[in-house]
Amino acid sequence: MWRKRQKGLSAMALFLFVLLLFLFFQKKSEEKTEIYKRADVLMGTDFYGTVYGGNEDVLPELAERLRSLETEQLSWREESSEIGKINSASGKGLGENISEETFGYLKAILDIAKKSEGALDPTIGNVSRLWDFGGVGERLPEKEEIETGIEKTGYEKLQVENGIISLPEGMSLDLGATGKGIGADVAADFIKEQDGIEGAVIALGGSIALIGNKPDQTWWNLAIVNPRGEEGEMLGVLKLQGEHFISTSGDYEKYFMVDGKRYHHILNPHTGYPAESGLISVTIVCDSGLKSDGLSTACFVLGLEKGMELIREYGAEGILVDEEKNVYITRGLKDFFDLKDESYQIVE
Protein backbone atom coordinates (compact mmCIF):
# COMPACT_ATOMS: atom_id res chain seq x y z
CA MET A 1 0.00 0.00 0.00
CA TRP A 2 2.75 2.38 0.92
CA ARG A 3 4.67 1.54 -2.27
CA LYS A 4 1.61 2.08 -4.43
CA ARG A 5 1.07 5.53 -2.94
CA GLN A 6 4.75 6.29 -3.30
CA LYS A 7 4.50 5.40 -6.96
CA GLY A 8 1.49 7.75 -7.35
CA LEU A 9 3.34 10.64 -5.74
CA SER A 10 6.33 10.05 -8.00
CA ALA A 11 4.10 10.15 -11.07
CA MET A 12 2.50 13.39 -9.87
CA ALA A 13 5.90 14.88 -9.16
CA LEU A 14 7.08 13.86 -12.61
CA PHE A 15 3.97 15.41 -14.19
CA LEU A 16 4.51 18.68 -12.34
CA PHE A 17 8.18 18.67 -13.27
CA VAL A 18 7.37 18.12 -16.95
CA LEU A 19 4.67 20.85 -16.82
CA LEU A 20 7.07 23.33 -15.22
CA LEU A 21 9.74 22.39 -17.74
CA PHE A 22 7.25 22.96 -20.59
CA LEU A 23 6.23 26.34 -19.22
CA PHE A 24 9.88 27.29 -18.71
CA PHE A 25 10.87 26.45 -22.28
CA GLN A 26 7.65 28.02 -23.63
CA LYS A 27 8.57 31.23 -21.86
CA LYS A 28 12.11 31.01 -23.17
CA SER A 29 10.77 30.39 -26.65
CA GLU A 30 8.56 33.46 -26.40
CA GLU A 31 11.46 35.51 -25.12
CA LYS A 32 13.50 34.48 -28.14
CA THR A 33 10.83 35.47 -30.66
CA GLU A 34 12.21 38.31 -32.72
CA ILE A 35 9.95 41.29 -33.32
CA TYR A 36 10.34 43.31 -36.51
CA LYS A 37 8.67 46.67 -37.17
CA ARG A 38 8.42 49.02 -40.13
CA ALA A 39 6.77 52.36 -40.85
CA ASP A 40 6.44 53.61 -44.41
CA VAL A 41 4.17 55.40 -46.86
CA LEU A 42 2.57 52.88 -49.22
CA MET A 43 -0.45 52.98 -51.51
CA GLY A 44 -0.90 56.66 -50.73
CA THR A 45 -1.28 56.16 -46.98
CA ASP A 46 0.63 55.37 -43.80
CA PHE A 47 1.88 51.81 -43.46
CA TYR A 48 2.76 50.19 -40.13
CA GLY A 49 3.84 46.60 -39.74
CA THR A 50 4.78 44.46 -36.74
CA VAL A 51 5.83 40.85 -37.24
CA TYR A 52 6.51 38.31 -34.49
CA GLY A 53 9.09 35.86 -35.80
CA GLY A 54 10.42 35.34 -39.29
CA ASN A 55 13.35 37.48 -40.33
CA GLU A 56 14.29 41.10 -40.96
CA ASP A 57 13.63 40.86 -44.71
CA VAL A 58 9.91 40.10 -44.40
CA LEU A 59 8.59 43.64 -44.00
CA PRO A 60 10.85 45.22 -46.68
CA GLU A 61 9.76 42.48 -49.09
CA LEU A 62 6.12 43.06 -48.17
CA ALA A 63 6.55 46.78 -48.81
CA GLU A 64 7.79 46.03 -52.33
CA ARG A 65 4.87 43.68 -52.91
CA LEU A 66 2.40 46.42 -51.93
CA ARG A 67 4.14 48.95 -54.15
CA SER A 68 3.78 46.54 -57.06
CA LEU A 69 0.12 45.97 -56.19
CA GLU A 70 -0.52 49.70 -56.49
CA THR A 71 1.56 50.52 -59.56
CA GLU A 72 0.92 47.35 -61.56
CA GLN A 73 -2.70 46.61 -60.66
CA LEU A 74 -4.83 49.09 -58.71
CA SER A 75 -3.77 52.69 -59.34
CA TRP A 76 -5.85 54.73 -61.78
CA ARG A 77 -3.01 57.27 -61.80
CA GLU A 78 -0.70 54.75 -63.48
CA GLU A 79 -1.70 54.26 -67.12
CA SER A 80 0.33 51.05 -67.24
CA SER A 81 -1.50 49.52 -64.28
CA GLU A 82 -4.35 47.09 -64.91
CA ILE A 83 -6.98 49.59 -63.75
CA GLY A 84 -5.27 52.25 -65.87
CA LYS A 85 -5.48 49.98 -68.90
CA ILE A 86 -9.18 49.26 -68.27
CA ASN A 87 -9.89 52.99 -68.06
CA SER A 88 -7.94 53.65 -71.26
CA ALA A 89 -9.92 50.90 -73.02
CA SER A 90 -13.32 52.24 -71.97
CA GLY A 91 -15.85 51.59 -74.70
CA LYS A 92 -13.84 48.66 -76.08
CA GLY A 93 -13.58 45.90 -73.48
CA LEU A 94 -10.37 44.35 -72.23
CA GLY A 95 -9.30 40.87 -71.23
CA GLU A 96 -5.63 40.55 -72.09
CA ASN A 97 -3.00 41.63 -69.57
CA ILE A 98 -5.54 41.62 -66.74
CA SER A 99 -4.69 39.19 -63.93
CA GLU A 100 -7.09 36.73 -62.34
CA GLU A 101 -6.59 38.60 -59.07
CA THR A 102 -7.89 41.86 -60.53
CA PHE A 103 -10.87 40.06 -62.08
CA GLY A 104 -11.58 38.66 -58.61
CA TYR A 105 -11.28 42.05 -56.94
CA LEU A 106 -13.72 43.65 -59.38
CA LYS A 107 -16.27 40.85 -58.99
CA ALA A 108 -16.14 41.13 -55.19
CA ILE A 109 -16.48 44.93 -55.37
CA LEU A 110 -19.44 44.66 -57.74
CA ASP A 111 -21.12 42.26 -55.31
CA ILE A 112 -20.94 44.90 -52.56
CA ALA A 113 -22.07 47.58 -55.04
CA LYS A 114 -25.16 45.56 -55.96
CA LYS A 115 -26.08 44.62 -52.39
CA SER A 116 -25.61 48.21 -51.22
CA GLU A 117 -27.60 49.56 -54.19
CA GLY A 118 -24.65 51.62 -55.34
CA ALA A 119 -23.54 53.06 -51.99
CA LEU A 120 -20.17 51.66 -53.06
CA ASP A 121 -19.44 52.30 -56.72
CA PRO A 122 -16.07 51.59 -58.39
CA THR A 123 -17.07 53.66 -61.44
CA ILE A 124 -17.01 56.94 -59.48
CA GLY A 125 -13.65 57.98 -60.97
CA ASN A 126 -14.94 60.95 -62.97
CA VAL A 127 -16.46 62.42 -59.81
CA SER A 128 -13.75 61.62 -57.25
CA ARG A 129 -11.11 63.22 -59.48
CA LEU A 130 -13.02 66.51 -59.35
CA TRP A 131 -12.57 66.70 -55.59
CA ASP A 132 -9.03 65.25 -55.46
CA PHE A 133 -9.12 64.90 -51.67
CA GLY A 134 -5.62 64.99 -50.26
CA GLY A 135 -4.15 65.89 -53.65
CA VAL A 136 -2.71 69.09 -55.05
CA GLY A 137 -6.01 69.79 -56.84
CA GLU A 138 -8.23 69.49 -53.75
CA ARG A 139 -11.23 71.83 -54.19
CA LEU A 140 -14.99 72.23 -54.06
CA PRO A 141 -16.19 71.44 -57.60
CA GLU A 142 -18.90 73.38 -59.36
CA LYS A 143 -22.39 71.85 -59.35
CA GLU A 144 -22.35 71.54 -63.15
CA GLU A 145 -19.07 69.63 -63.04
CA ILE A 146 -20.49 67.10 -60.59
CA GLU A 147 -23.66 66.64 -62.61
CA THR A 148 -21.58 65.98 -65.73
CA GLY A 149 -19.37 63.52 -63.82
CA ILE A 150 -22.39 61.64 -62.42
CA GLU A 151 -23.62 61.00 -65.97
CA LYS A 152 -20.49 58.90 -66.53
CA THR A 153 -20.93 56.64 -63.48
CA GLY A 154 -22.98 53.55 -62.65
CA TYR A 155 -21.67 50.22 -61.32
CA GLU A 156 -24.42 48.34 -63.20
CA LYS A 157 -22.82 49.46 -66.50
CA LEU A 158 -19.52 47.72 -65.65
CA GLN A 159 -19.39 44.16 -66.94
CA VAL A 160 -16.89 41.60 -65.62
CA GLU A 161 -17.57 38.23 -67.19
CA ASN A 162 -16.25 35.59 -69.60
CA GLY A 163 -12.69 36.87 -69.23
CA ILE A 164 -13.60 40.37 -70.46
CA ILE A 165 -13.96 43.63 -68.54
CA SER A 166 -16.25 46.09 -70.31
CA LEU A 167 -16.44 49.71 -69.18
CA PRO A 168 -18.62 52.13 -71.20
CA GLU A 169 -16.82 54.86 -73.10
CA GLY A 170 -15.84 57.83 -70.98
CA MET A 171 -16.35 56.05 -67.66
CA SER A 172 -13.49 55.60 -65.22
CA LEU A 173 -12.72 53.20 -62.36
CA ASP A 174 -11.44 54.32 -58.97
CA LEU A 175 -10.82 51.58 -56.37
CA GLY A 176 -9.88 54.00 -53.61
CA ALA A 177 -12.71 52.75 -51.39
CA THR A 178 -11.36 49.19 -51.42
CA GLY A 179 -7.67 49.51 -52.32
CA LYS A 180 -6.30 49.56 -48.77
CA GLY A 181 -8.43 46.55 -47.88
CA ILE A 182 -7.10 44.67 -50.90
CA GLY A 183 -3.61 45.60 -49.69
CA ALA A 184 -4.44 44.11 -46.28
CA ASP A 185 -5.54 40.87 -47.98
CA VAL A 186 -2.33 40.70 -50.02
CA ALA A 187 -0.26 41.43 -46.91
CA ALA A 188 -1.96 38.66 -44.94
CA ASP A 189 -1.41 36.12 -47.73
CA PHE A 190 2.23 37.16 -48.00
CA ILE A 191 2.84 36.89 -44.24
CA LYS A 192 1.24 33.43 -44.06
CA GLU A 193 3.57 32.20 -46.80
CA GLN A 194 6.66 33.04 -44.71
CA ASP A 195 8.38 30.62 -42.35
CA GLY A 196 8.61 31.12 -38.61
CA ILE A 197 6.05 33.89 -38.19
CA GLU A 198 3.71 33.45 -35.23
CA GLY A 199 1.66 36.59 -35.66
CA ALA A 200 1.58 39.99 -37.32
CA VAL A 201 -0.29 43.29 -37.46
CA ILE A 202 -0.34 45.13 -40.78
CA ALA A 203 -2.00 48.55 -41.07
CA LEU A 204 -2.62 50.44 -44.31
CA GLY A 205 -4.35 53.66 -43.38
CA GLY A 206 -7.74 52.69 -42.00
CA SER A 207 -7.43 49.01 -42.95
CA ILE A 208 -5.78 46.49 -40.64
CA ALA A 209 -4.93 42.81 -40.96
CA LEU A 210 -4.41 40.69 -37.85
CA ILE A 211 -2.61 37.45 -38.64
CA GLY A 212 -2.04 34.59 -36.21
CA ASN A 213 -1.48 35.45 -32.56
CA LYS A 214 1.09 37.07 -30.31
CA PRO A 215 3.69 34.65 -28.92
CA ASP A 216 2.34 35.18 -25.38
CA GLN A 217 -1.24 34.55 -26.61
CA THR A 218 -2.48 37.90 -25.29
CA TRP A 219 -5.21 39.70 -27.21
CA TRP A 220 -4.71 42.18 -30.00
CA ASN A 221 -5.71 45.64 -28.74
CA LEU A 222 -6.84 48.06 -31.45
CA ALA A 223 -7.57 51.72 -30.76
CA ILE A 224 -10.61 53.08 -32.60
CA VAL A 225 -10.05 56.74 -33.47
CA ASN A 226 -12.23 59.35 -31.79
CA PRO A 227 -13.95 60.94 -34.81
CA ARG A 228 -14.40 64.24 -32.99
CA GLY A 229 -11.29 64.19 -30.81
CA GLU A 230 -7.87 65.69 -31.12
CA GLU A 231 -5.24 63.81 -33.13
CA GLY A 232 -4.22 60.67 -31.26
CA GLU A 233 -7.34 60.51 -29.07
CA MET A 234 -9.32 57.29 -29.15
CA LEU A 235 -12.98 56.45 -28.96
CA GLY A 236 -12.30 53.05 -27.45
CA VAL A 237 -10.32 49.82 -27.61
CA LEU A 238 -11.32 46.72 -29.55
CA LYS A 239 -9.88 43.42 -28.28
CA LEU A 240 -9.55 40.52 -30.69
CA GLN A 241 -7.74 37.20 -31.05
CA GLY A 242 -6.79 35.32 -34.19
CA GLU A 243 -7.11 36.47 -37.78
CA HIS A 244 -9.37 39.42 -38.56
CA PHE A 245 -9.61 42.29 -41.01
CA ILE A 246 -10.69 45.67 -39.70
CA SER A 247 -11.46 48.83 -41.65
CA THR A 248 -12.67 52.22 -40.46
CA SER A 249 -14.20 54.96 -42.60
CA GLY A 250 -14.83 58.38 -41.08
CA ASP A 251 -15.50 61.96 -42.07
CA TYR A 252 -12.43 63.06 -40.10
CA GLU A 253 -9.85 61.27 -42.28
CA LYS A 254 -9.63 63.56 -45.32
CA TYR A 255 -11.67 66.74 -45.44
CA PHE A 256 -11.56 70.49 -45.94
CA MET A 257 -13.76 73.31 -44.67
CA VAL A 258 -15.58 75.90 -46.80
CA ASP A 259 -17.72 78.56 -45.10
CA GLY A 260 -17.89 76.46 -41.95
CA LYS A 261 -19.04 73.29 -43.77
CA ARG A 262 -17.03 70.07 -43.66
CA TYR A 263 -16.45 68.39 -47.03
CA HIS A 264 -15.09 64.89 -46.41
CA HIS A 265 -13.79 62.29 -48.83
CA ILE A 266 -16.53 59.65 -48.53
CA LEU A 267 -18.68 60.50 -51.53
CA ASN A 268 -22.25 59.42 -52.09
CA PRO A 269 -22.10 57.98 -55.63
CA HIS A 270 -25.73 59.00 -56.24
CA THR A 271 -25.13 62.71 -55.55
CA GLY A 272 -21.42 63.20 -56.17
CA TYR A 273 -21.14 65.04 -52.85
CA PRO A 274 -19.83 63.88 -49.45
CA ALA A 275 -22.28 61.48 -47.83
CA GLU A 276 -24.68 62.95 -45.28
CA SER A 277 -26.12 59.86 -43.62
CA GLY A 278 -25.92 60.94 -39.98
CA LEU A 279 -22.86 58.74 -39.37
CA ILE A 280 -19.36 60.05 -38.66
CA SER A 281 -17.47 56.77 -38.26
CA VAL A 282 -17.96 53.14 -39.30
CA THR A 283 -15.68 50.26 -38.29
CA ILE A 284 -16.15 46.84 -39.87
CA VAL A 285 -14.64 43.52 -38.71
CA CYS A 286 -14.83 40.52 -41.04
CA ASP A 287 -12.86 37.81 -42.83
CA SER A 288 -11.60 39.88 -45.77
CA GLY A 289 -9.78 43.17 -46.14
CA LEU A 290 -11.58 44.01 -49.37
CA LYS A 291 -14.96 43.39 -47.77
CA SER A 292 -14.15 45.25 -44.55
CA ASP A 293 -12.93 48.28 -46.53
CA GLY A 294 -15.80 48.25 -49.01
CA LEU A 295 -18.44 47.68 -46.34
CA SER A 296 -17.16 50.47 -44.12
CA THR A 297 -17.59 52.90 -47.02
CA ALA A 298 -20.96 51.51 -48.14
CA CYS A 299 -22.39 51.51 -44.61
CA PHE A 300 -21.19 55.08 -44.03
CA VAL A 301 -23.09 56.18 -47.14
CA LEU A 302 -26.19 54.12 -46.32
CA GLY A 303 -26.60 55.31 -42.74
CA LEU A 304 -27.38 53.41 -39.56
CA GLU A 305 -30.41 51.28 -40.41
CA LYS A 306 -29.49 50.17 -43.92
CA GLY A 307 -25.83 49.93 -42.92
CA MET A 308 -26.67 47.47 -40.18
CA GLU A 309 -28.73 45.42 -42.65
CA LEU A 310 -25.75 45.22 -45.02
CA ILE A 311 -23.41 44.20 -42.19
CA ARG A 312 -25.77 41.35 -41.27
CA GLU A 313 -26.08 40.27 -44.91
CA TYR A 314 -22.30 39.75 -45.06
CA GLY A 315 -22.04 38.09 -41.65
CA ALA A 316 -19.72 40.87 -40.53
CA GLU A 317 -19.51 42.89 -37.29
CA GLY A 318 -19.45 46.64 -36.85
CA ILE A 319 -19.17 49.72 -34.68
CA LEU A 320 -21.13 52.72 -36.01
CA VAL A 321 -21.01 56.23 -34.55
CA ASP A 322 -23.52 58.96 -35.36
CA GLU A 323 -23.43 62.75 -35.18
CA GLU A 324 -25.05 62.71 -31.73
CA LYS A 325 -22.13 60.67 -30.39
CA ASN A 326 -24.21 57.51 -30.09
CA VAL A 327 -22.23 54.30 -30.56
CA TYR A 328 -23.98 51.26 -32.05
CA ILE A 329 -22.22 47.89 -31.75
CA THR A 330 -23.22 44.60 -33.35
CA ARG A 331 -23.78 41.69 -31.03
CA GLY A 332 -20.54 39.88 -31.86
CA LEU A 333 -18.38 42.81 -30.71
CA LYS A 334 -20.24 44.06 -27.63
CA ASP A 335 -18.11 42.09 -25.19
CA PHE A 336 -14.87 43.07 -26.91
CA PHE A 337 -15.17 46.86 -27.16
CA ASP A 338 -14.20 49.14 -24.28
CA LEU A 339 -15.50 52.73 -24.68
CA LYS A 340 -12.94 55.26 -23.44
CA ASP A 341 -14.47 58.67 -24.19
CA GLU A 342 -17.35 59.44 -21.80
CA SER A 343 -18.79 62.08 -24.12
CA TYR A 344 -20.09 59.17 -26.24
CA GLN A 345 -22.72 56.65 -25.19
CA ILE A 346 -23.34 53.07 -26.29
CA VAL A 347 -26.91 52.59 -27.50
CA GLU A 348 -28.48 49.16 -27.23
Side-chain angles (χ1 to χ4, degrees):
M1 187 72 176
W2 180 84
R3 285 187 177 182
K4 193 171 184 180
R5 188 179 179 193
Q6 175 90 353
K7 186 176 180 180
L9 286 173
S10 298
M12 179 60 71
L14 180 61
F15 170 78
L16 291 173
F17 174 77
V18 171
L19 178 60
L20 290 171
L21 200 63
F22 169 78
L23 293 174
F24 173 81
F25 281 111
Q26 183 186 46
K27 183 65 177 176
K28 287 295 183 182
S29 175
E30 291 176 356
E31 291 174 352
K32 290 180 179 179
T33 300
E34 296 287 348
I35 301 176
Y36 302 99
K37 297 185 178 184
R38 183 183 178 94
D40 209 330
V41 176
L42 299 170
M43 301 183 70
T45 192
D46 293 327
F47 167 89
Y48 298 98
T50 300
V51 173
Y52 297 88
N55 60 72
E56 61 185 7
D57 296 326
V58 169
L59 287 173
E61 290 175 1
L62 173 59
E64 289 305 310
R65 176 67 186 91
L66 293 176
R67 287 192 182 94
S68 296
L69 174 68
E70 180 183 25
T71 60
E72 297 176 11
Q73 291 179 259
L74 304 183
S75 176
W76 61 264
R77 298 178 188 274
E78 299 284 343
E79 292 185 3
S80 61
S81 75
E82 294 181 1
I83 295 302
K85 291 174 181 177
I86 294 168
N87 287 342
S88 296
S90 65
K92 303 175 185 177
L94 186 66
E96 295 181 2
N97 302 319
I98 303 299
S99 65
E100 291 184 10
E101 289 84 359
T102 297
F103 270 96
Y105 300 150
L106 289 174
K107 287 181 179 179
I109 293 168
L110 280 177
D111 185 69
I112 299 175
K114 292 173 184 176
K115 290 177 179 175
S116 68
E117 297 181 342
L120 176 75
D121 191 336
T123 70
I124 200 171
N126 286 322
V127 176
S128 60
R129 289 173 188 50
L130 294 174
W131 294 85
D132 196 25
F133 286 101
V136 295
E138 183 176 84
R139 66 188 178 92
L140 175 59
E142 297 293 334
K143 180 181 178 181
E144 293 76 13
E145 291 180 292
I146 292 176
E147 290 174 348
T148 300
I150 286 289
E151 292 176 359
K152 292 292 186 179
T153 66
Y155 72 89
E156 66 276 3
K157 302 172 187 175
L158 172 64
Q159 301 296 316
V160 183
E161 55 189 3
N162 301 322
I164 300 294
I165 299 173
S166 297
L167 185 68
E169 186 174 0
M171 290 180 62
S172 183
L173 298 179
D174 182 346
L175 304 192
T178 51
K180 310 305 182 292
I182 293 171
D185 283 329
V186 169
D189 290 341
F190 179 86
I191 291 294
K192 288 186 284 188
E193 291 171 356
Q194 311 306 309
D195 294 328
I197 295 178
E198 300 179 49
V201 182
I202 304 298
L204 270 169
S207 291
I208 298 172
L210 303 178
I211 305 114
N213 288 291
K214 295 181 184 178
D216 61 4
Q217 301 303 305
T218 56
W219 293 61
W220 303 110
N221 292 314
L222 301 178
I224 304 299
V225 173
N226 184 335
R228 289 295 180 264
E230 298 295 327
E231 185 174 355
E233 290 184 351
M234 61 182 172
L235 172 69
V237 176
L238 184 60
K239 298 182 178 181
L240 298 169
Q241 276 192 322
E243 181 169 315
H244 298 278
F245 294 87
I246 306 97
S247 293
T248 298
S249 293
D251 66 0
Y252 57 88
E253 295 173 313
K254 293 179 183 178
Y255 70 92
F256 57 83
M257 306 290 291
V258 176
D259 297 330
K261 182 177 176 63
R262 180 191 297 254
Y263 292 91
H264 61 79
H265 77 294
I266 306 174
L267 300 178
N268 182 335
H270 300 299
T271 67
Y273 285 91
E276 295 181 343
S277 66
L279 297 177
I280 58 177
S281 175
V282 174
T283 296
I284 299 293
V285 180
C286 66
D287 59 359
S288 154
L290 185 155
K291 286 193 292 185
S292 68
D293 203 4
L295 289 175
S296 68
T297 297
C299 291
F300 189 102
V301 173
L302 288 170
L304 179 62
E305 186 176 342
K306 290 186 177 181
M308 282 294 192
E309 290 176 3
L310 187 63
I311 289 171
R312 286 193 290 270
E313 184 166 0
Y314 274 91
E317 303 290 345
I319 300 171
L320 286 68
V321 185
D322 70 15
E323 294 171 338
E324 304 302 319
K325 293 192 171 183
N326 296 312
V327 182
Y328 302 86
I329 308 173
T330 55
R331 186 169 300 176
L333 293 182
K334 283 186 177 180
D335 294 334
F336 305 103
F337 180 71
D338 184 13
L339 183 67
K340 296 295 185 181
D341 190 320
E342 295 181 353
S343 69
Y344 293 80
Q345 52 277 330
I346 294 176
V347 179
E348 294 294 334

